[in-house]
Amino acid sequence: MYDSEINNEESERTAFRKAEKKYKIYYDNSKKKKIPRPVDLSEVIDFKSILDKYNCNDELREGVTALKCDFDRPIFCLKNRPGFYFIPSALSVEEQCQWIRESLTSFPQFPNRTNHDAFYGSIPDLFVSATQGKKFVFEERDPDSVDSHPKWKLVEEMDRLSGSDAHKSVQASLLLRKLRWSTLGLQFDWSKRSYNVDLPHKKIPDSLCQLAKIMAAPVMPCGEEFQPEAAIVNYFGLGDMLGGHLDDMEKDWSKPIVSMSLGCKAIFLLGGKSREDSPIAMFLRSGDVVLMAGEARECFHGVPRIFTDTENAEIASLESQFLDQDFSFLDYIRTSRININIRQVF
């Protein structure tokens, strides 16, 4: 590549893109293992540290304020990002474990849709099948069938397949690791970028609705209650990222998006109304809740990195909880992050 091309590419990178590249995970390859390159985290806002200062009545970081409201835990705001609210450690460890289980077992089930639907159709009990070492085998579809999806059946072991069938199979564990999103409540049509009320769906679980209402209450317009109608569950593995985007498909932006973090720590970028605005970087830990309403709904945001190493993942409390319950969930969450973001559509 010529130097002029490099310079042109550099000039075309937006401030948001530069921040993504700064925090994205890159590796220095060695013969033994891939080693993540060091990254400067000195500018990343740490709301855990800010919470500690708040509890000790110390002065908060410049640009950060605490919302004064009748709520049982502090809510922090950013002076230059109106409508953005951060509630650190909002969820108990028990609540975190509950929603990790639901996100892996019940949320990806029909009629909820996932990123696998387009190719595999609805996959029942994916998490259970993955932990049991099962595989999915392709079955030829009846050409006269009205079903547009290929058919896949579960098998216990690979050695039960003939040689001709082996290349038409896929491990359930691989599909679990490639699970990127599932949708709850009203279903989002990704091809049309709009909600499709005609798609089969069931209500968001009542317990999740009640939790979202409690979290949203302090920032709701006076006299109004948050009405959870749809949710998107995002699944992140090592090296995964969520590029800068807007959540702008809902009708009323005065109502917040309630976003819950579960699992490994991540970096969250909150930009401005243009990709040219330099974003603010902050850590998201398991149990943190973010609210975005009003002007913040017009801000680009994304997740360029999750931390899965023992030192930085910060999931010790989850590990101790799951060790006493079900190791299969612990095995997944040790290298993963889950985000549940709940919305009022209409």
Side-chain angles (χ1 to χ4, degrees):
M1 181 178 290
Y2 297 108
D3 288 344
S4 59
E5 292 178 332
I6 295 176
N7 292 334
N8 287 337
E9 281 190 1
E10 182 67 31
S11 65
E12 290 173 0
R13 289 181 187 147
T14 63
F16 198 99
R17 179 59 178 152
K18 289 178 181 178
E20 286 180 322
K21 291 179 72 66
K22 174 181 178 179
Y23 293 114
K24 181 181 177 182
I25 188 168
Y26 292 99
Y27 293 100
D28 290 323
N29 293 320
S30 68
K31 293 182 178 180
K32 293 183 178 180
K33 62 179 180 180
K34 293 194 298 184
I35 302 174
R37 293 180 189 171
V39 59
D40 180 6
L41 302 175
S42 61
E43 297 181 355
V44 181
I45 296 178
D46 188 343
F47 280 99
K48 181 179 179 181
S49 174
I50 290 172
L51 177 61
D52 291 339
K53 289 186 176 182
Y54 176 88
N55 289 334
C56 295
N57 294 317
D58 289 344
E59 186 176 348
L60 301 183
R61 175 179 174 139
E62 184 179 356
V64 177
T65 60
L67 179 67
K68 297 185 182 300
C69 61
D70 296 327
F71 200 53
D72 63 354
R73 67 204 79 194
I75 301 176
F76 297 108
C77 314
L78 299 176
K79 290 181 180 179
N80 59 353
R81 294 294 189 276
F84 176 83
Y85 308 91
F86 196 111
I87 314 176
S89 303
L91 306 179
S92 68
V93 177
E94 291 76 17
E95 287 175 315
Q96 294 170 47
C97 291
Q98 174 190 353
W99 297 119
I100 289 171
R101 291 191 206 94
E102 295 288 336
S103 298
L104 293 173
T105 55
S106 64
F107 290 171
Q109 300 276 56
F110 182 84
N112 300 335
R113 305 169 77 204
T114 77
N115 59 292
H116 288 318
D117 283 15
F119 186 77
Y120 295 100
S122 177
I123 301 177
D125 301 320
L126 175 58
F127 183 77
V128 175
S129 299
T131 58
Q132 294 177 349
K134 294 184 178 180
K135 303 200 177 204
F136 288 89
V137 182
F138 179 79
E139 288 186 319
E140 295 294 340
R141 190 176 70 247
D142 182 348
D144 298 325
S145 172
V146 295
D147 184 4
S148 61
H149 290 299
K151 294 183 178 179
W152 296 79
K153 68 177 181 180
L154 278 171
V155 295
E156 298 289 341
E157 299 172 2
M158 192 64 178
D159 57 13
R160 295 187 182 181
L161 305 178
S162 65
S164 60
D165 289 332
H167 71 284
K168 297 180 180 180
S169 68
V170 60
Q171 292 179 334
S173 58
L174 179 61
L175 293 184
L176 178 63
R177 279 300 169 187
K178 290 188 175 181
L179 180 65
R180 291 294 174 265
W181 54 262
S182 62
T183 47
L184 316 180
L186 293 176
Q187 298 293 290
F188 191 77
D189 189 333
W190 297 92
S191 62
K192 298 179 180 179
R193 284 189 53 76
S194 64
Y195 290 94
N196 187 342
V197 296
D198 296 325
L199 288 173
H201 65 276
K202 59 183 178 182
K203 285 182 59 179
I204 297 173
D206 289 341
S207 54
L208 184 57
C209 285
Q210 290 305 313
L211 178 60
K213 288 181 179 182
I214 292 171
M215 295 297 161
V219 305
M220 285 293 291
C222 184
E224 295 189 43
E225 183 180 62
F226 184 63
Q227 301 298 325
E229 295 171 316
I232 299 176
V233 185
N234 295 307
Y235 305 85
F236 298 82
L238 176 62
D240 289 342
M241 62 178 292
L242 181 63
H245 65 284
L246 297 175
D247 293 315
D248 56 359
M249 291 297 105
E250 291 72 37
K251 300 296 183 183
D252 185 354
W253 291 359
S254 70
K255 309 301 187 300
I257 289 179
V258 180
S259 179
M260 308 186 330
S261 289
L262 304 166
C264 293
K265 186 174 71 177
I267 291 179
F268 178 73
L269 294 179
L270 177 64
K273 298 180 181 181
S274 165
R275 293 184 187 271
E276 293 296 345
D277 297 326
S278 296
I280 301 168
M282 63 195 79
F283 291 121
L284 284 174
R285 294 178 173 86
S286 193
D288 291 342
V289 169
V290 163
L291 309 174
M292 295 181 68
E295 288 188 42
R297 292 291 300 271
E298 303 176 60
C299 293
F300 284 91
H301 55 280
V303 178
R305 186 188 189 113
I306 72 164
F307 298 89
T308 59
D309 59 290
T310 304
E311 181 182 358
N312 294 299
E314 298 190 32
I315 58 168
S317 57
L318 291 176
E319 289 182 320
S320 60
Q321 191 81 1
F322 277 131
L323 277 174
D324 297 331
Q325 298 172 4
D326 194 329
F327 186 80
S328 57
F329 292 104
L330 175 57
D331 187 51
Y332 178 91
I333 210 63
R334 273 177 169 160
T335 57
S336 305
R337 173 181 181 261
I338 298 173
N339 166 244
I340 305 174
N341 54 87
I342 306 147
R343 301 125 184 274
Q344 179 171 327
V345 177
F346 299 112

